[in-house]
Amino acid sequence: MLNHQVTKKAVGLIAVVFAALIVFCSAAEASDFTLYNDIRTPIVGFYTQRPDGSWSPNWLSGPLPMGRHIGLTFANSAVNAACVRSYRIVTTGDFAGSVDRVHDFCTYRGLHMTAAGPTHTEY
């Protein structure tokens, strides 16, 4: 009888945890993404364009070194509701300069800066 009660409690606990995970994943911001640096030099700036055409402050608190990545999250506001927006990546060294592109941050959660330019992945 004791084993049966323990089993029922375990199954109940698993169900609660599973339900909580579903709710948590559903509530996650659709705009969260990861910026990957796949070039030989640091990324020194990442900016997104606002609806009024101005650029955000630099999202990076410091250079993003070669081979590293950083998770970034849009603030929860009406200004950040758009999934598709322009962004600018600024680099130094061999790839000095900036690249402006448009990206769907809700569909593609990975943004990779490569030697050929920015690419994206769904994760």
Side-chain angles (χ1 to χ4, degrees), residues 6 10 12 20 26-27 33 51 54 64 68-70 73 75-76 83 87 115:
V6 171
S26 299
F33 66 99
S54 65
L64 182 61
R68 303 290 304 268
H69 64 274
I70 186 170
T73 304
N76 190 12
C83 288
Y87 67 89

Side-chain angles (χ1 to χ4, degrees), residues 33-37 46 60 64 68-70 72 89 111:
F33 66 99
T34 303
L35 176 63
Y36 297 87
N37 183 357
F46 181 79
L60 304 176
L64 182 61
R68 303 290 304 268
H69 64 274
I70 186 170
L72 300 168
I89 295 177
L111 182 57

Side-chain angles (χ1 to χ4, degrees), residues 52-109:
D52 68 3
S54 65
W55 290 95
S56 71
N58 190 352
W59 285 61
L60 304 176
S61 59
L64 182 61
M66 168 184 73
R68 303 290 304 268
H69 64 274
I70 186 170
L72 300 168
T73 304
F74 286 108
N76 190 12
S77 71
V79 173
N80 291 322
C83 288
V84 178
R85 63 178 68 209
S86 295
Y87 67 89
R88 176 176 290 159
I89 295 177
V90 180
T91 58
T92 62
D94 294 343
F95 298 99
S98 67
V99 176
D100 293 359
R101 297 279 165 76
V102 176
H103 185 76
D104 183 340
F105 288 94
C106 295
T107 301
Y108 301 105
R109 304 286 177 96

Side-chain angles (χ1 to χ4, degrees), residues 13-30:
L13 181 60
I14 290 169
V16 169
V17 169
F18 185 69
L21 281 173
I22 290 172
V23 170
F24 176 76
C25 290
S26 299
E29 284 292 317

